[in-house]
Amino acid sequence: MNFQPSPFVAPPEVITTKSRFRNAIGKYRIRRSNACIACGRCIEACPHGVHHIRNHKLAPPDDYLCVGFECKKCVDECPQKALSLDVNPLMEVIGDRRWTPDLLVSTWYMAETGEMPKGGVETETGGSDGGFDKLRFVYKNELPADFNPADFNTSIKLNRKDDGRDEGVIGLPIYGGGMSYGSINLMAIIARARAWKEWNSFTCTGEGGYPEELFPYDDHVITQVATGLFGVREETIQRVRMVEFKYAQGAKPGLGGHLLGDKVTPKVARMREAVPGNPLFSPFPFHSVYSVEDHKKHIDWIKEINPRAMVSVKVSTPSDVDMVAVGSYFAGAHIVHLDGSYGGTGAAPDIAKKNIAMPIEYGIIKVHNFLKDEGIRDAITVIASGGIRTPADVAKAIMLGADGVVIGTSEMVALECIRCSYCESGRGCARGIASTDPELSTMIDVEWATKRLVNMLAAWRTELCRIMARMGMKDIREMVGRTDCLRHLDYE
Ligand code: SF4
Ligand code: SF4
């Protein structure tokens, strides 16, 4: 495969953005007893700013910044033995095996600081005992002493057809996946659009229509066309630089979409041209597409309506996904978007998420190799999604053969999602993210959410550069298909 560098896109500025809740959740808990005499030794001892003065008084510790037992400096140096350190009991109740408590708190740290955590927490793998959690990097060297992320290029070009359409150069090999107005609230949608604009990348409307609040971000929006055709109009297709056909979702292949009546508020209903309170189904499949020729007609339709837009085709990962990808190439798609089985919000049923589609790591490599064998790998962009949680997952997906990835849940986590899985009900989301309820929606401030997303991606970029540096690479395009940089724990 040819390595083609893309133009460099400068990363946006990181602005520290704290949790919106009074007590941010971290892995460790520092408690200060009444024996404390406020001597301030802990402030001097802590390298991570946990102890500090506020309003001329020793403030309660910001213990979510603590790196835990590998440090213990403040505990050891307190002359009064007034400090104790333990693991936050909340670690036992938040998250799940894929999104472990460690991955949640580390993502929150990245969203606040724009940096990777300084220690004491696992940032790379979850506890699922499968998928990306079973893959490890085979580093070629140590991190160079003069490592500087500015020396690395993480941008990619999405349109590889040289057909006069938009080139789609994005600053990271990442863009935002389809999350509809209805599945998440408008504030989160706007924040996503703003953050991806700062990264010169894309967010996606999902199948929920195109709220007019997104118009200022048109050039960074992907509008989705799926079977329900909710809110799909010629005018919305003409607004954007990329249109995505959703043929299936990895989290629920064969099931289509379902928005419970609870979340169909008058505003959501108006956007989708439906009736408030009525559940909305987006059935599977497109009954107008049963062959590559039908598929081509679909893509030609979009290309005709919008002569500048790229077309992406989102598919799940059935066992013949390699044939599907080749078909999409010959039908004229610029991007084949493979959506594996680990993604989806808490609204996707577990039985579907865990038992239907092929795990994404198998799907990527199958498609990459087949496109190579067919001699067309360099002419189509392969994007992977479905459970990309960390920068390590991004690198693994690319090393398996994807050009880039799509994320969704990680963005919700940056906005302090706790993975409680109540996303589908109207007032279910205690964090106000996956809620269209007018009161809960006000919990998200657009400015705050934008910065959190920008910051998380900044941390991801730095980590991707660190991985490249340790692999002896300078450009993310060099990483594509480098399975020699990975090992699988089951095959050692
Ligand atoms: S254990 Fe270390 S990181 Fe944690 S609060 Fe004490 S000095 Fe700071
Ligand atoms: S916090 Fe909200 S977005 Fe996150 S899983 Fe719970 S309901 Fe869903």
Side-chain angles (χ1 to χ4, degrees):
M1 197 183 149
N2 295 330
F3 159 54
Q4 295 164 331
S6 305
F8 180 80
V9 179
E13 184 192 4
V14 166
I15 300 170
T16 303
T17 308
K18 287 182 177 290
S19 166
R20 62 197 152 119
F21 299 109
R22 194 171 55 191
N23 297 314
I25 303 171
K27 182 168 181 179
Y28 300 101
R29 214 168 48 165
I30 292 279
R31 280 186 289 193
R32 199 182 276 136
S33 77
N34 289 341
C36 169
I37 52 169
C39 66
R41 291 273 287 276
C42 53
I43 302 176
E44 286 162 31
C46 180
H48 301 295
V50 173
H51 304 279
H52 52 94
I53 302 277
R54 195 184 302 133
N55 298 331
H56 311 291
K57 284 210 298 230
L58 195 56
D62 279 340
D63 47 6
Y64 70 98
L65 296 171
C66 174
V67 300
F69 299 100
E70 65 188 50
C71 171
K72 268 184 95 224
K73 282 189 183 144
C74 60
V75 176
D76 294 341
E77 291 190 22
C78 172
Q80 295 294 109
K81 298 289 167 232
L83 292 172
S84 63
L85 164 69
D86 61 5
V87 175
N88 188 343
L90 273 178
M91 294 293 103
E92 286 177 23
V93 293
I94 57 171
D96 50 51
R97 280 161 66 89
R98 285 195 47 73
W99 269 101
T100 55
D102 275 40
L103 291 187
L104 291 176
V105 297
S106 63
T107 304
W108 294 331
Y109 183 91
M110 295 176 218
E112 172 167 335
T113 63
E115 293 173 11
M116 295 298 285
K118 302 287 181 286
V121 66
E122 172 60 49
T123 59
E124 199 172 299
T125 51
S128 69
D129 205 25
F132 294 125
D133 291 340
K134 280 252 166 157
L135 293 173
R136 295 290 182 275
F137 296 115
V138 181
Y139 290 116
K140 314 287 181 199
N141 45 256
E142 291 299 314
L143 190 70
D146 60 352
F147 167 73
N148 180 356
D151 298 338
F152 296 80
N153 192 6
T154 51
S155 63
I156 64 167
K157 196 169 90 169
L158 293 169
N159 180 358
R160 306 166 86 182
K161 282 197 183 297
D162 204 14
D163 58 358
R165 288 175 179 266
D166 199 289
E167 288 207 314
V169 175
I170 54 178
L172 288 168
I174 311 171
Y175 55 86
M179 279 190 270
S180 63
Y181 180 42
S183 71
I184 59 172
N185 80 54
L186 192 55
M187 301 302 116
I189 288 175
I190 299 168
R192 293 183 78 210
R194 288 175 54 165
W196 287 113
K197 181 179 176 188
E198 289 206 36
W199 278 99
N200 200 40
S201 191
F202 293 94
T203 183
C204 178
T205 59
E207 196 195 7
Y210 202 120
E212 64 183 34
E213 289 82 352
L214 277 185
F215 291 178
Y217 312 100
D218 281 345
D219 278 351
H220 300 276
V221 173
I222 303 165
T223 195
Q224 196 177 69
V225 179
T227 54
L229 298 176
F230 295 123
V232 174
R233 297 192 307 278
E234 200 166 295
E235 186 265 332
T236 57
I237 289 170
Q238 284 166 340
R239 300 198 79 88
V240 296
R241 290 161 60 209
M242 196 201 298
V243 179
E244 177 175 85
F245 272 106
K246 183 178 76 179
Y247 285 96
Q249 269 171 279
K252 38 190 173 180
L255 298 180
H258 180 190
L259 189 69
L260 293 187
D262 244 10
K263 292 179 92 169
V264 186
T265 61
K267 274 180 114 173
V268 171
R270 199 161 45 248
M271 185 60 53
R272 297 188 181 215
E273 296 163 52
V275 178
N278 264 21
L280 298 177
F281 293 93
S282 174
F284 180 85
F286 272 110
H287 285 295
S288 49
V289 179
Y290 284 99
S291 64
V292 176
E293 290 75 18
D294 294 341
H295 185 25
K296 184 170 184 318
K297 273 190 218 156
H298 250 182
I299 292 174
D300 286 349
W301 162 47
I302 296 298
K303 286 184 172 173
E304 190 62 30
I305 295 175
N306 184 338
R308 68 173 182 141
M310 297 171 280
V311 180
S312 166
V313 170
K314 178 175 174 179
V315 294
S316 63
T317 47
S319 53
D320 60 350
V321 62
D322 43 358
M323 293 300 295
V324 173
V326 171
S328 292
Y329 166 76
F330 284 108
H334 298 87
I335 297 168
V336 59
H337 171 176
L338 313 172
D339 192 32
S341 58
Y342 305 127
T345 64
D350 260 6
I351 186 134
K353 277 202 274 198
K354 293 180 181 162
N355 297 291
I356 305 183
M358 191 194 314
I360 189 64
E361 68 276 14
Y362 292 103
I364 297 170
I365 203 161
K366 201 166 158 63
V367 166
H368 174 70
N369 287 339
F370 197 63
L371 291 173
K372 256 191 353 189
D373 291 348
E374 293 291 306
I376 53 175
R377 180 62 187 89
D378 288 328
I380 186 162
T381 297
V382 176
I383 293 290
S385 65
I388 306 284
R389 305 154 295 178
T390 63
D393 286 351
V394 179
K396 289 170 187 174
I398 295 175
M399 286 168 183
L400 288 170
D403 294 298
V405 304
V406 157
I407 61 171
T409 303
S410 325
E411 293 174 81
M412 301 303 98
V413 174
L415 306 187
E416 302 189 302
C417 160
I418 47 172
R419 296 292 288 156
C420 65
S421 296
Y422 290 128
C423 316
E424 77 277 17
S425 59
R427 282 187 67 86
C429 180
R431 299 285 173 138
I433 307 163
S435 174
T436 49
D437 178 84
E439 187 190 352
L440 287 175
S441 299
T442 60
M443 288 173 73
I444 302 274
D445 173 77
V446 171
E447 190 64 32
W448 172 87
T450 305
K451 288 188 204 143
R452 296 274 297 191
L453 295 170
V454 166
N455 291 355
M456 180 191 77
L457 292 167
W460 285 31
R461 183 184 190 278
T462 305
E463 187 61 10
L464 281 173
C465 295
R466 230 176 253 133
I467 295 168
M468 279 194 267
R470 295 194 62 189
M471 295 296 178
M473 302 169 185
K474 283 280 186 188
D475 190 300
I476 200 78
R477 300 281 312 139
E478 292 175 68
M479 206 184 259
V480 179
R482 291 289 303 274
T483 47
D484 60 304
C485 298
L486 293 172
R487 66 191 169 92
H488 194 287
L489 297 183
D490 283 350
Y491 305 102
E492 297 195 296

